[in-house]
Amino acid sequence: MFMFEKAVVGGKRYWAWIGALSAVILVGFLCYLLQLTEGLGITGLSRNVTWGMYIAQFTFFVGVAASAVMVVLPYYLHNYKAFGKLTILGEFLAISAVTMCMLFIFVDMGQPMRILNVMLHPTPGSMMFWDMISLSGYLVLNALIAYVTLSSERKEVPPPHWIKPIIILSIPWAVSIHTVTAFLYNGLPGRSFWLTAILAPRFLASAFAAGPALLILLCMIIRKLTKFDVGSEPIQKLAVIVTYAMIVNIFFVLMEIFTVFYSQIPEHMEHFKFLFVGLQGQAPLVPWMWTSMILAAASIFLLLVPRYRRNEKVLAVTCVMVFASLWIDKGLGLIIGGFTPSPLNVVTRYVPTAPELAIVVAIWAIGLLMITVFYKIALSVRERLAE
Amino acid sequence: MRDRGLIFTGLVLFLGLITFPVWYNLASGTSSKPPELKLPTTEKQCVAPTETMRMSHMEMLITWRDQVVRQNDRTYVAADGKRYDMSLTNTCLKCHDNKAEFCDKCHDYAGVKPYCWDCHIDPKLVQRSKG
Amino acid sequence: MTIHRRTFLGVAGLSAVALAGKSTIGALAKAGEEAAPAAGAATRWAMVIDPQRCLRKEGCKDCIGACDKVHNVPLFKDKDHEVKWIWKEPFENAFTGEENPYTAEALKDKPVLVFCNHCDNPPCVRVCPTKATWKREDGIVMMDWHRCIGCRYCMAACPYGSRSFNWLDPRPRIPALDPEFPTRTKGVVEKCTFCEERLAKGEQPACVEACPEKALVFGNLDDPASEVRSLLREHFTIRRKPELGTQPEIYYIV
């Protein structure tokens, strides 16, 4: 089944890693059981900050999932051969990230047993309905593409022709998942922070920076741990993509800041004030947001200078900076900043609790576990072919 | 047939495991006899015949629920033309005033845990806690 | 266009209501079935609040107490987990953007009664992925606690902070259980329903009935002869955040 037999053979280091991830997942699972019996009250969420870490992580990883398109598109539409070895890694990254997104949504539900009500009583007027459609569709598309292309590779035959249109379909679909995710937020009349048409483009730009940055890091790790090397050309190409995406992202952020602060509409300014200087004497996110900004500026500098970009050691550090900067921006600032201040202009402090963080970390571990297993399968197939 | 011993031990273990519920019930003294329910004394007639109620009171309650909450339609017309307010606590439990000896007893026997009671309140419970 | 339709329906509804009569609530059954659609379409429940009257009796919480009691609203000491149907909010928070450095003393820092606005164009309804919240024909924004999956999208969408989530099991936090009305379970969203269960019995909402100063007036906007309509005719009223296009149906006399 799905070449899983390849995932159950491995060295000591492989099993130690799997064991460690499983332990983290187990702790998170126990915390989730606590949440299931006690209610979401065990999290740091409140009447005013109703969404927090879970939904923020969901948003961030939708971006990571969508970014697979950045390797699929050049390879399949522009016949950019250097990405040939990478597409499968991008697709598996997408599958893992989408699964994480679904889990983050699931753990955020107050009545998870009733989640099928979304399908039982379909409501096309709700963006959440479309988010469910686009996410599950994207998962199916990528699972199918990854399976079919990898199976053909193993049998040393070219992939069947019918898969090509499906791959092409996955390209706009990737854009759709992050657009719909932005629509979740930017159609709400009382939430000025999200009420901006730049949100979806900004989401996409930051996704196309964070995702490929992660992919570069994964390629470097794979090269260290296995015999498989994607080569330096695709990594450099990805680095160029990260550079453009990161610059566009910051450009979009600055456009938003101009609009908000030149128009001087208090409701729009207050969220930014809360994030960057503090509001009503509360400034929990200020150090985070400035860290994010500094990391963004520094990484753009390092990406722009060819000498640094071409140095893979520096590039690795730069990719970590890009990823961290965008994770703070989207995984913390976007959601918490959107809820603070509340529409009644109240600042409520949100601090995630230990069980909440354990659940978040467990879902990351599930993502990592999936990546590990999938990459193990893909690389075993290739290693055998190489012999 | 060198493995005869192993095979038979396995078989006995297997039979023992799948018939475990029978032994468990025999040992703990629970019988398969249907529970004796305490019926209302005040009223002779339910909203539908006993047989119907026994078989499909859950469907009826779900229909009532949707009618009241979603259609704002609160009146149930019984087969005999009598009208009732569609309400679990305010109609059903008015006559069946002993939830423990009626609802719960049978639900326990059937091993079902309806979540109705997570929100809907047994009036007896309130009286007792007050008194 | 809307006004034309409304006026027409108003007249049609009035005649239907007149036919059905006020005293036939007991016999509502048959007549109700026939008259209900017409009467429903011609009913638009709304509330007019007179904040000055509300302030007369200082520290009065009669309406809040009455509502909490009949709806089994739990009392959470932790502000983060609060469940509120009707409550008092300082003027500046209730009417954000309306305050100015010279805000009349009669208003500044003064508590204003707030609750669900039962908007004509409710964003919470638009976003709900399961139709667990919807707008009834009589304008009430209703909740189905059986269907709510607890995603809290409606809370993000409501610009008035009118919705509460049950972060923990509310049952142990209810001071006095009223068996006539259900409690809620943990993990669902709740809010004011304009006492639809009392309206069905021909009663006024609990808060309106409890107010000693008659500061809350509830009625049918589609009935030109109703008290709410005459109050709106005679006074200048404001609504919360009208610029958002939600069309709140709670009016405040200034």
Side-chain angles (χ1 to χ4, degrees):
Chain A
M1 234 296 274
F2 197 51
M3 301 170 258
F4 266 119
E5 71 279 1
K6 307 211 179 297
V8 291
V9 279
K12 232 184 211 161
R13 208 172 42 181
Y14 175 69
W15 286 113
W17 171 241
I18 300 277
L21 288 178
S22 307
V24 173
I25 294 169
L26 183 73
V27 172
F29 181 72
L30 293 176
C31 288
Y32 181 68
L33 287 184
L34 178 74
Q35 182 184 300
L36 204 58
T37 42
E38 290 297 308
L40 278 158
I42 66 149
T43 66
L45 297 167
S46 62
R47 198 177 184 280
N48 282 339
V49 185
T50 46
W51 285 341
M53 285 303 269
Y54 298 152
I55 294 297
Q57 300 310 297
F58 151 78
T59 312
F60 180 76
F61 282 99
V62 170
V64 173
S67 72
V69 77
M70 284 289 113
V71 288
V72 172
L73 189 144
Y75 180 67
Y76 286 100
L77 282 191
H78 299 285
N79 209 14
Y80 181 66
K81 293 283 185 230
F83 277 176
K85 285 178 173 177
L86 265 182
T87 51
I88 192 80
L89 301 185
E91 282 147 7
F92 278 138
L93 178 61
I95 295 173
S96 314
V98 173
T99 311
M100 289 171 77
C101 294
M102 289 177 159
L103 286 170
F104 277 122
I105 292 274
F106 186 80
V107 297
D108 191 65
M109 295 291 125
Q111 285 285 336
M113 293 77 76
R114 299 183 190 166
I115 194 142
L116 287 180
N117 279 359
V118 179
M119 279 177 252
L120 230 55
H121 309 284
T123 316
S126 171
M127 281 303 125
M128 207 172 271
F129 171 78
W130 290 108
D131 213 42
M132 180 204 69
I133 302 239
S134 67
L135 280 183
S136 42
Y138 192 64
L139 180 64
V140 170
L141 280 179
N142 275 288
L144 186 70
I145 294 166
Y147 178 67
V148 170
T149 51
L150 191 62
S151 309
S152 324
E153 200 176 323
R154 187 170 65 153
K155 291 175 206 140
E156 294 179 75
V157 291
H161 289 294
W162 58 264
I163 198 74
K164 190 79 191 274
I166 295 179
I167 293 172
I168 304 295
L169 174 67
S170 81
I171 295 170
W173 204 290
V175 178
S176 89
I177 63 168
H178 221 17
T179 308
V180 175
T181 305
F183 285 178
L184 275 181
Y185 308 109
N186 73 357
L188 306 179
R191 306 284 176 183
S192 318
F193 187 59
W194 300 327
L195 195 70
T196 164
I198 202 84
L199 202 67
R202 208 181 123 187
F203 271 22
L204 285 164
S206 68
F208 295 157
L214 179 62
L215 203 54
I216 291 176
L217 291 170
L218 288 172
C219 288
M220 289 176 173
I221 293 169
I222 288 171
R223 182 194 286 158
K224 264 236 156 84
L225 298 178
T226 73
K227 284 178 240 158
F228 182 74
D229 185 2
V230 289
S232 84
E233 196 199 333
I235 288 189
Q236 281 307 313
K237 205 63 176 182
L238 279 177
V240 173
I241 292 175
V242 174
T243 313
Y244 275 111
M246 195 63 185
I247 290 171
V248 172
N249 175 49
I250 292 302
F251 174 62
F252 286 167
V253 172
L254 293 175
M255 283 168 79
E256 179 69 21
I257 287 177
F258 169 80
T259 311
V260 165
F261 284 94
Y262 198 78
S263 67
Q264 300 266 317
I265 299 173
E267 281 163 33
H268 289 261
M269 290 194 295
E270 270 154 4
H271 299 278
F272 283 93
K273 283 187 185 159
F274 169 72
L275 290 176
F276 288 98
V277 294
L279 190 70
Q280 300 174 18
Q282 300 244 38
L285 287 180
V286 171
W288 290 92
M289 293 314 287
W290 284 109
T291 307
S292 168
M293 282 294 131
I294 291 163
L295 286 176
S299 62
I300 286 179
F301 171 75
L302 290 173
L303 285 165
L304 276 177
V305 180
R307 189 154 44 101
Y308 297 134
R309 189 175 65 237
R310 292 200 191 109
N311 179 335
E312 289 207 355
K313 284 219 172 75
V314 179
L315 182 61
V317 177
T318 312
C319 284
V320 172
M321 288 161 72
V322 167
F323 194 81
S325 164
L326 295 175
W327 181 83
I328 295 170
D329 180 43
K330 240 168 158 180
L332 287 177
L334 179 87
I335 301 297
I336 306 171
F339 279 106
T340 331
S342 76
L344 304 190
N345 205 12
V346 176
V347 173
T348 307
R349 197 163 184 134
Y350 163 71
V351 183
T353 59
E356 187 180 3
L357 289 174
I359 293 171
V360 167
V361 173
I363 296 179
W364 286 350
I366 291 174
L368 279 174
L369 184 68
M370 289 180 73
I371 290 262
T372 309
V373 168
F374 286 142
Y375 280 16
K376 170 95 178 152
I377 293 172
L379 300 182
S380 307
V381 168
R382 292 210 173 136
E383 252 170 51
R384 223 199 44 176
L385 287 178
E387 275 162 16
Chain B
M1 289 302 268
R2 272 183 304 136
D3 293 335
R4 193 183 303 173
L6 271 177
I7 290 169
F8 278 105
T9 330
L11 269 178
V12 168
L13 266 177
F14 173 72
L15 282 176
L17 271 179
I18 63 159
T19 50
F20 176 75
V22 179
W23 310 123
Y24 178 82
N25 276 348
L26 276 181
S28 61
T30 45
S31 76
S32 59
K33 261 208 339 225
E36 303 250 336
L37 303 182
K38 214 171 228 164
L39 292 171
T41 44
T42 44
E43 195 74 43
K44 283 268 165 287
Q45 182 61 52
C46 195
V47 295
T50 314
E51 209 43 44
T52 318
M53 291 311 288
R54 191 178 292 153
M55 293 294 289
S56 44
H57 64 279
M58 44 310 230
E59 279 105 347
M60 177 183 265
L61 283 172
I62 295 233
T63 316
W64 280 22
R65 175 190 91 183
D66 289 346
Q67 289 281 314
V68 172
V69 177
R70 305 197 70 91
Q71 315 297 333
N72 191 21
D73 173 7
R74 289 157 200 271
T75 314
Y76 174 74
V77 185
D80 60 2
K82 222 172 149 195
R83 287 165 194 286
Y84 297 92
D85 182 24
M86 292 193 272
S87 168
L88 174 61
T89 28
N90 301 334
T91 301
C92 305
L93 292 188
K94 278 275 140 66
C95 301
H96 296 282
D97 54 0
N98 201 333
K99 172 176 166 280
E101 289 292 311
F102 185 75
C103 314
D104 296 350
K105 208 167 187 184
C106 197
H107 288 151
D108 287 346
Y109 170 73
V112 289
K113 286 195 187 84
Y115 54 79
C116 312
W117 312 110
D118 289 358
C119 300
H120 294 272
I121 305 166
D122 174 11
K124 267 248 173 83
L125 212 72
V126 181
Q127 283 161 18
R128 218 174 302 139
S129 70
K130 270 181 192 160
Chain C
M1 206 49 209
T2 333
I3 296 160
H4 285 294
R5 187 183 60 109
R6 275 243 184 123
T7 341
F8 169 75
L9 290 175
V11 174
L14 259 187
S15 10
V17 170
L19 275 176
K22 219 185 164 188
S23 58
T24 45
I25 290 159
L28 205 138
K30 192 80 197 155
E33 270 166 31
E34 281 148 20
T43 308
R44 205 320 166 190
W45 297 120
M47 187 108 71
V48 179
I49 298 178
D50 187 338
Q52 299 303 330
R53 270 172 182 266
C54 175
L55 286 168
R56 272 187 204 162
K57 204 176 134 194
E58 209 169 319
C60 172
K61 281 184 179 170
D62 292 1
C63 56
I64 302 171
C67 173
D68 288 357
K69 196 174 170 303
V70 298
H71 297 121
N72 289 319
V73 177
L75 192 79
F76 281 95
K77 295 216 172 66
D78 181 357
K79 224 172 145 44
D80 285 352
H81 294 159
E82 258 179 340
V83 174
K84 300 188 276 194
W85 284 36
I86 175 169
W87 73 99
K88 286 180 175 178
E89 195 67 53
F91 174 79
E92 302 87 294
N93 298 101
F95 289 90
T96 46
E98 299 285 344
E99 76 279 14
N100 62 51
Y102 314 103
T103 301
E105 266 173 41
L107 293 170
K108 201 164 166 47
D109 295 325
K110 288 283 158 43
V112 179
L113 275 179
V114 292
F115 43 101
C116 174
N117 277 297
H118 295 277
C119 303
D120 245 355
N121 183 15
C124 54
V125 169
R126 208 179 307 146
V127 302
C128 177
T130 60
K131 302 187 189 86
T133 191
W134 73 98
K135 201 182 94 181
R136 295 196 336 188
E137 277 185 17
D138 57 5
I140 293 179
V141 175
M142 190 50 187
M143 271 296 304
D144 185 347
W145 295 309
H146 306 96
R147 190 181 285 186
C148 175
I149 59 172
C151 69
R152 315 190 289 296
Y153 200 4
C154 55
M155 296 178 78
C158 176
Y160 307 103
S162 297
R163 291 175 163 267
S164 305
F165 182 71
N166 285 281
W167 297 101
L168 299 164
D169 184 9
R171 251 266 179 125
R173 278 97 175 173
I174 299 166
L177 278 177
D178 183 348
E180 299 251 323
F181 199 80
T183 65
R184 267 70 62 197
T185 172
K186 66 168 186 290
V188 298
V189 171
E190 64 181 87
K191 65 165 197 78
C192 156
T193 62
F194 256 170
C195 281
E196 59 92 30
E197 78 286 356
R198 291 169 59 91
L199 297 179
K201 288 187 270 180
E203 293 168 17
Q204 287 271 301
C207 54
V208 175
E209 207 177 83
C211 180
E213 299 291 337
K214 304 269 168 282
L216 306 163
V217 178
F218 179 83
N220 181 6
L221 277 188
D222 278 351
D223 172 6
S226 66
E227 198 183 347
V228 281
R229 281 289 292 274
S230 75
L231 281 171
L232 291 179
R233 254 196 310 274
E234 288 153 20
H235 296 86
F236 178 63
T237 53
I238 56 171
R239 298 186 286 176
R240 295 172 69 198
K241 305 193 188 210
E243 71 278 10
L244 298 180
T246 55
Q247 302 295 346
E249 293 296 5
I250 310 290
Y251 298 79
Y252 295 85
I253 296 175
V254 281

